[in-house]
Amino acid sequence: MREVEHPGGSHPATLILGIGELTTNDPALGDGDPTGLMHDAALLLDGGRVVWAGPERDVASGVEEALGRAPDRVVGVDGRAVIPGFVDSHSHLVFAGDRSAEFEARMAGRPYAAGGIRTTVAATRAASDDALRAGLRRHVDQALAQGTTTLETKSGYGLSVADEERAVRLAREVTDEVTFLGAHVVPPEFSGAADAYVDLVVGDMLAACAPHARWVDVFCETGAFTPEQSRRVLEAGAAAGLGVRVHANQLGPGEGVRLAVDLGAAAVDHCTYLSDDDVAALAASWGGGAQGTVATLLPGVEFSTRQPYPDARRLLDAGAVVALASDCNPGSSYTSSMPLMVALAVREIGMTVAEAVWAATGGGARALRRDDVGHLAPGARADVVVLDAPSRTHLAYRPGVPLVHAVWKDGHPAR
């Protein structure tokens, strides 16, 4: 990568040249591809935003029209591919402890169950703020190094008023996309009294956490919360001004997907066991231009638990909107690698490379109801990933290889 600088202030304009393949995720740009794919392209960033994208042959007129002056920095990427920064719309990064022994036992044949979460709860409650903060920042930095420029993260490993408030408060230090997940599982001190715990979640716990959160979530699953309990949590969160997200249909069939659609959730995540009615409801939620419910698939979970993978092809063919996310957590998917999610989506759940890259960028943005990230059209945030490869196909073609060559976040080099 070659760079020439002409310093011009705190928000220098950067022109990226020599892009062999540019994924913009704007169908109005490019060669007619739904992901706005361009070849031999250039990209202009200014003030933390994309201001122009087009063929390199048009760069002089594009820069003049969009900027009206020479850019402060010119970077040549020597034929590499460029994609939007990954948008990871589902992670659990505020935690302490280690569950590698659980993973090892699972690989030896023990099935995954939701109860392992309580192990992390005990470790998280015992950890200091500084320890939790350090772990959180380490995971965010690891995600950024792999091209994730926007991420959501949840509470859910405190399960007391003080510990859940602490989790969302610390999470807010690293992202605006914070989710209150007090209804992750029932903590040990409420064993046999799930309804009483829900009373706490929708009362004092929600009141303490809502000021730090954008979203409310619930694990609607056997071993966690019933559909009725889940509805109470989600409706209370919505009444407090939080957007709705749902964990559902991970461990078996259930009512969680239809509950999410009924409540207008931005996303329902996992979606491993879906009925025809579930699929139809997800697709219909986007009817008539409505802001529907995204089906967020988390193939890292199935990779790490040996459960059956979800069927993305079934959802896409029905007209549903699909996102990919890491579900980075210490129990069932301890990876923050969105490139790995793309590779798994192509290899295991029926997606094309174009569909998987869109789901990991534009799909994640829709799951967060964001229109400023997940694409590289003019007006988008200047969150840019340069791959050390000539095309995005290499994300699936070369799994496990560190292909993120450079990252810009808000128009500034981030690595």
Side-chain angles (χ1 to χ4, degrees):
M1 192 161 69
R2 295 166 290 104
E3 184 171 324
V4 177
E5 289 199 37
H6 307 282
S10 60
H11 290 286
T14 300
L15 177 63
I16 305 174
L17 297 175
I19 301 172
E21 180 187 273
L22 173 62
T23 298
T24 67
N25 283 344
D26 185 342
L29 299 173
D31 307 327
D33 180 276
T35 61
L37 191 68
M38 297 184 187
H39 294 88
D40 302 318
L43 190 67
L44 181 62
L45 318 177
D46 183 42
R49 298 280 171 168
V50 175
V51 294
W52 182 81
E56 187 164 330
R57 64 178 180 271
D58 296 336
V59 72
S61 60
V63 169
E64 177 61 30
E65 181 180 348
L67 195 61
R69 61 178 177 84
D72 304 294
R73 178 185 296 126
V74 178
V75 177
V77 297
D78 301 323
R80 293 180 173 90
V82 169
I83 64 172
F86 292 116
V87 181
D88 188 351
S89 61
H90 184 129
S91 74
H92 305 248
L93 302 182
V94 186
F95 68 87
D98 178 271
R99 284 160 64 185
S100 57
E102 176 189 322
F103 174 81
E104 185 177 21
R106 191 162 64 240
M107 293 301 101
R110 190 177 77 191
Y112 174 71
I117 293 167
R118 296 183 181 91
T119 303
T120 302
V121 170
T124 302
R125 287 178 172 181
S128 68
D129 283 14
D130 286 345
L132 292 178
R133 182 180 286 113
L136 172 62
R137 292 193 180 278
R138 181 175 67 253
H139 286 103
V140 170
D141 288 346
Q142 289 171 350
L144 180 63
Q146 297 171 92
T148 297
T149 52
T150 301
L151 62 80
E152 177 267 10
T153 199
K154 308 176 191 296
S155 66
Y157 292 127
L159 308 187
S160 70
V161 173
D163 287 302
E164 286 294 295
E165 187 276 339
R166 174 171 71 151
V168 292
R169 174 168 41 82
L170 292 175
R172 192 60 179 266
E173 295 178 3
V174 300
T175 181
D176 292 335
E177 301 295 344
V178 177
T179 300
F180 166 51
L181 182 60
H184 200 181
V185 294
V186 178
E189 61 268 28
F190 282 87
S191 180
D195 286 336
Y197 180 64
V198 171
D199 290 341
L200 178 66
V201 170
V202 302
D204 291 347
M205 192 181 289
L206 175 61
C209 293
H212 307 289
R214 185 183 176 206
W215 305 97
V216 64
D217 200 344
V218 63
F219 193 9
C220 182
E221 196 77 57
T222 300
F225 296 91
T226 67
E228 295 75 22
Q229 292 165 342
S230 298
R231 180 179 287 274
R232 280 192 66 201
V233 171
L234 297 172
E235 288 182 340
L242 303 180
V244 173
R245 323 184 69 74
V246 185
H247 285 58
N249 297 59
Q250 175 189 359
L251 304 178
E255 300 176 35
V257 167
R258 278 161 288 166
L259 174 64
V261 172
D262 182 53
L263 293 178
V268 57
D269 301 0
H270 287 291
C271 296
T272 307
Y273 295 91
L274 299 180
S275 68
D276 289 344
D277 287 344
D278 294 330
V279 174
L282 286 165
S285 72
W286 295 90
Q291 182 75 276
T293 299
V294 174
T296 303
L297 307 184
L298 311 168
V301 173
E302 286 75 35
F303 179 81
S304 298
T305 63
R306 290 182 173 162
Q307 290 180 267
Y309 282 94
D311 186 351
R313 187 81 266 140
R314 183 182 177 203
L315 287 160
L316 292 166
D317 288 349
V321 174
V322 173
L324 292 172
S326 73
D327 194 12
C328 184
N329 75 83
S332 62
S333 182
Y334 200 7
T335 175
S336 56
S337 175
M338 290 296 284
L340 176 60
M341 299 308 111
V342 170
L344 290 174
V346 173
R347 173 62 181 84
E348 301 289 353
I349 67 176
M351 302 183 84
T352 67
V353 171
E355 288 167 341
V357 172
W358 186 90
T361 53
R366 288 205 186 180
L368 295 174
R369 295 199 168 159
R370 297 274 297 269
D371 60 11
D372 60 331
V373 296
H375 65 104
L376 293 175
R381 284 186 179 273
D383 293 348
V384 180
V385 171
V386 180
L387 301 177
D388 198 9
S391 80
R392 63 195 182 188
T393 299
H394 282 237
L395 290 166
Y397 177 47
R398 303 185 69 201
V401 176
L403 291 179
V404 174
H405 178 76
V407 179
W408 278 266
K409 182 170 173 58
D410 293 325
H412 294 283
R415 70 173 302 269

